[in-house]
């Protein structure tokens, strides 16, 4: 081969890939690729010398006066050269002649294409083209070659990393689920321990009230029958402030009754929230679930938010009570956080000319019917739980983030409370979770559970 051939063609150039860790969203820009461009008027002998010198070079990018024409892979070029009379026919001929015989469909993609997408496109090619290199067009308009074997190895590495991450996440989720289950059992046990003395107080407060009233009646009877009592008794009455004691005793007993009743409801709500679901759903009173969750979050509201309930006539709904309680808590906590943050901002930027409305949450329940997609099928019946606030509403960007988190395949792998709620309602209960928000009009969450 004449020595001057090596000066007429620029030697192959292997671009450097990115040094960052590859992931599911990595693109072809992060991979090393070959840049070997040859004018189509050069001969096969000239190209063969470079293929011999660079054994990893997957092929040749052909151009005509700098314009991209196509690609010839190493495999196709060598196939034609080793054919009978191949060297006599093609070695001294321009590459244009060889390309007219060796032309095959090529896969052309942009360098912004993800690695896994490129791998899927490569596997969709016909079997005889699976080994052909891939032509990648850069943002600057250059063309480079990507070895398909290198793409296979890297894509399998990414898949392996992804599987490892998924495994670690699943293990962490199992540990977290086990931890929460144990915590639920512990809280349930503590709740039982609290309910026992509360039960003693609740059960005896009625008798104590009756006994105290009877004793007061007895003392009043003594006062009527014995109008002139001794000085010692009068002194004792003054010391214990009998007149005030007689008036305040009933109020004290009523206060004890109210406190015991509130504590009993609170512990019962805590028990319901920590309920460990069984294998199959059971009929649940949704109104009781909502009331128990409102009772749990009352400590955060502290009278700053008004909660209004519009309960309809609901039948018992078959569901997993523990998971449904989690959904209600997640949504109500999200709404409460938003309203409280808005209230703080309004106080910091208080304008005396504007009237600030009190934060308000409306909870509505009803049974609705929806038309079936099949005209021959009966209409479906659903239980609707609507939780609406009078806040300033969500931005479109935040709404899009929430909608994206509802996808089962989130790129960032983060599970928000609303995303978890969406999967509980849709996957576990076969229901629907919708939300609507408009600037200045507040936000509305709707939970739809099917009636069977």
């Amino acid at each position: 081969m004449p020595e001057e051939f090596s000066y007429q063609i620029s030697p192959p150039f292997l671009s450097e890939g990115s040094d960052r860790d590859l992931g599911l969203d990595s693109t072809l820009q992060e991979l090393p690729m070959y840049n070997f461009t040859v004018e189509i008027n050069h001969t096969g002998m000239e190209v063969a010398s470079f293929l011999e010198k660079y054994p990893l070079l997957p092929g040749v990018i052909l151009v005509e006066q700098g314009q991209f024409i196509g690609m010839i892979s190493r495999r196709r070029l060598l196939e034609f050269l080793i054919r009978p009379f191949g060297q006599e026919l093609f070695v001294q001929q321009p590459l244009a002649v060889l390309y007219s015989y060796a032309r095959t469909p090529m896969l052309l993609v942009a360098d912004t294409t993800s690695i896994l997408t490129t791998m899927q496109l490569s596997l969709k090619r016909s079997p005889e083209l699976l080994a052909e290199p891939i032509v990648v067009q850069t943002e600057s308009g250059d063309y480079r070659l990507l070895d398909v074997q290198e793409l296979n190895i890297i894509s399998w590495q990414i898949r392996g990393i992804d599987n490892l991450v998924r495994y670690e996440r699943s293990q962490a989720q199992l540990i977290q689920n086990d931890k929460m289950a144990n915590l639920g059992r512990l809280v349930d046990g503590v709740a039982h321990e609290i309910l026992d003395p509360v039960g003693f107080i609740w059960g005896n407060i009625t008798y104590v009230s009756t006994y105290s009233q009877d004793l007061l009646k007895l003392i009043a009877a003594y006062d009527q029958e014995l109008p002139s009592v001794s000085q010692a008794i009068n002194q004792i009455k003054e010391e214990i402030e009998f007149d005030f004691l007689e008036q305040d005793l009933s109020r004290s007993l009523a206060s004890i009754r109210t406190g015991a009743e509130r504590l009993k409801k609170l512990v019962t709500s805590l028990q319901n929230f920590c309920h460990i679901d069984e294998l199959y759903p059971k009929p649940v009173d949704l109104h009781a679930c909502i009331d128990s969750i409102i009772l749990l979050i009352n400590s955060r509201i502290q009278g700053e938010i008004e909660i209004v309930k519009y309960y309809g006539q609901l039948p018992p709904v078959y569901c997993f009570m523990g998971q449904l309680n989690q959904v209600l808590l997640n949504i109500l906590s999200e709404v409460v956080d938003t309203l409280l943050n808005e209230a703080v901002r309004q106080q910091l930027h208080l304008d005396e000319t504007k009237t600030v409305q009190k934060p308000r949450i409306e909870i509505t329940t009803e049974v609705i019917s929806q038309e079936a997609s099949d005209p021959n099928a009966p209409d479906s019946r659903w239980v609707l739980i609507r939780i609406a606030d009078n806040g300033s509403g969500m931005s479109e960007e935040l709404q899009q983030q929430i909608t994206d988190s509802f996808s089962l395949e989130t790129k960032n792998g983060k599970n928000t409370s609303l995303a978890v709620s969406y999967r509980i309602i849709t996957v576990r209960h076969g229901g629907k979770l919708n939300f609507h928000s408009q600037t200045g009009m507040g936000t509305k969450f709707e939970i739809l559970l099917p009636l069977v």
Side-chain angles (χ1 to χ4, degrees):
M1 180 191 70
E3 185 66 25
E4 62 271 13
F5 286 161
S6 60
Y7 298 100
Q8 296 176 3
I9 303 175
S10 299
F13 173 75
L14 180 63
S15 63
E16 295 183 0
S18 173
D19 57 354
R20 80 178 186 94
D21 294 336
L22 297 177
L24 293 176
D25 56 347
S26 296
T27 64
L28 299 179
Q29 294 172 333
E30 303 175 48
L31 299 183
M33 291 180 287
Y34 291 91
N35 185 6
F36 185 39
T37 303
V38 179
E39 284 285 342
I40 202 166
N41 58 1
H42 285 283
T43 64
M45 178 64 73
E46 296 177 84
V47 175
S49 65
F50 282 96
L51 295 178
E52 182 179 359
K53 186 176 181 180
Y54 300 95
L56 297 180
L57 186 63
V60 183
I61 296 174
L62 300 178
V63 296
E64 185 174 10
Q65 297 181 356
Q67 296 297 321
F68 175 75
I69 298 298
M71 178 272 301
I72 299 180
S73 65
R74 167 190 287 269
R75 182 176 66 89
R76 297 290 293 173
L77 183 60
L78 294 181
E79 282 180 359
F80 277 88
L81 292 180
I82 64 176
R83 285 182 180 182
F85 308 105
Q87 294 189 9
E88 291 82 353
L89 292 175
F90 299 112
V91 169
Q92 300 300 332
Q93 295 292 329
L95 290 174
V97 177
L98 180 60
Y99 184 62
S100 64
Y101 286 93
R103 181 180 303 177
T104 55
M106 65 179 178
L107 176 58
L108 175 63
V109 295
D111 62 351
T112 54
T113 309
S114 70
I115 295 175
L116 295 182
T117 300
T118 306
M119 184 63 193
Q120 292 175 353
L121 295 174
S122 175
L123 293 176
K124 290 181 180 179
R125 297 183 294 180
S126 58
E128 65 272 11
L129 300 177
L130 290 178
E132 291 289 297
I134 298 170
V135 181
V136 180
Q137 184 178 11
T138 64
E139 293 181 343
S140 60
D142 297 332
Y143 292 87
R144 297 181 180 180
L145 291 178
L146 175 62
D147 186 9
V148 71
Q149 298 299 328
E150 177 118 3
L151 177 66
N152 289 340
I153 294 174
I154 292 175
S155 62
W156 279 111
Q157 289 175 349
I158 293 176
R159 287 294 186 187
I161 295 172
D162 180 47
N163 291 336
L164 179 61
V165 171
R166 289 176 181 269
Y167 173 77
E168 291 177 350
R169 279 188 197 150
S170 64
Q171 293 299 309
Q173 187 65 39
L174 288 175
I175 295 173
Q176 181 69 13
N177 291 343
D178 183 67
K179 178 180 177 181
M180 295 306 297
N182 291 331
L183 181 60
R185 296 187 187 96
L186 179 63
V187 172
D188 185 63
V190 172
H192 272 295
E193 293 297 324
I194 296 176
L195 281 178
D196 283 342
V198 170
F200 298 152
I201 298 173
W202 182 260
N204 289 305
I205 191 67
T206 302
Y207 301 109
V208 173
S209 298
T210 303
Y211 298 159
S212 62
Q213 294 299 322
D214 291 343
L215 290 175
L216 290 176
K217 288 180 181 179
L218 178 61
I219 294 174
Y222 270 109
D223 288 341
Q224 290 180 356
E225 295 295 331
L226 302 172
S228 58
V229 294
S230 66
Q231 184 66 27
I233 293 177
N234 289 331
Q235 184 176 357
I236 292 175
K237 283 186 174 182
E238 291 179 0
E239 290 178 355
I240 65 175
E241 298 181 352
F242 178 76
D243 293 338
F244 173 77
L245 184 151
E246 185 178 11
Q247 297 175 1
D248 193 57
L249 180 59
S250 59
R251 291 195 295 266
S252 299
L253 292 173
S255 178
I256 294 173
R257 179 189 294 274
T258 302
E261 182 179 7
R262 183 177 178 184
L263 182 58
K264 184 178 180 181
K265 288 182 178 179
L266 181 62
V267 175
T268 303
S269 300
L270 191 61
Q271 274 187 312
N272 292 335
F273 179 73
C274 296
H275 176 77
I276 300 175
D277 293 312
E278 298 181 4
L279 185 61
Y280 300 102
K282 289 187 174 182
V284 174
D285 182 358
L286 293 183
H287 293 160
C289 292
I290 297 173
D291 291 338
S292 65
I293 297 301
I294 292 176
L295 189 61
L296 289 178
I297 65 173
N298 264 337
S299 60
R300 298 180 55 202
I301 297 175
Q302 296 180 350
E304 296 184 24
I305 300 176
E306 181 184 7
I307 297 181
V308 182
K309 296 179 285 188
Y310 300 102
Y311 286 169
Q313 296 293 329
L314 299 185
V317 180
Y318 279 82
C319 61
F320 299 97
M321 186 176 69
Q323 297 182 16
L324 186 60
N325 283 332
Q326 182 182 354
V327 171
L328 294 172
L329 181 64
N330 290 344
I331 295 178
L332 284 172
S333 297
E334 188 80 20
V335 174
V336 168
D337 288 341
T338 302
L339 293 179
L340 291 179
N341 291 336
E342 289 182 5
V344 172
R345 286 195 298 268
Q346 289 178 356
Q347 292 177 359
L348 293 177
H349 304 86
L350 184 59
D351 187 354
E352 295 181 356
T353 62
K354 295 182 179 180
T355 58
V356 179
Q357 60 179 352
K358 184 175 182 179
R360 177 187 176 98
I361 300 175
E362 294 184 358
I363 303 176
T364 306
T365 62
E366 59 181 327
V367 177
I368 64 173
S369 297
Q370 291 186 348
E371 294 184 0
S373 57
D374 185 358
N376 297 323
D379 295 344
S380 57
R381 299 176 68 241
W382 303 77
V383 168
L384 169 65
I385 304 174
R386 183 184 296 112
I387 302 174
D389 64 53
N390 63 344
S392 60
M394 299 182 185
S395 63
E396 292 184 1
E397 181 181 0
L398 180 56
Q399 293 184 53
Q400 187 61 43
Q401 290 178 1
I402 295 176
T403 303
D404 293 341
S405 70
F406 288 171
S407 173
L408 294 179
E409 292 292 337
T410 54
K411 290 185 178 181
N412 54 13
K414 295 180 180 179
N415 283 329
T416 64
S417 60
L418 291 180
V420 172
S421 302
Y422 178 81
R423 292 167 194 172
I424 290 176
I425 295 299
T426 57
V427 178
R428 293 288 290 167
H429 292 84
K432 303 175 184 178
L433 176 59
N434 305 318
F435 76 96
H436 311 279
S437 185
Q438 187 176 355
T439 304
M441 301 296 292
T443 304
K444 177 172 60 178
F445 290 91
E446 291 183 344
I447 300 172
L448 290 168
L449 299 174
L451 277 177
V452 294

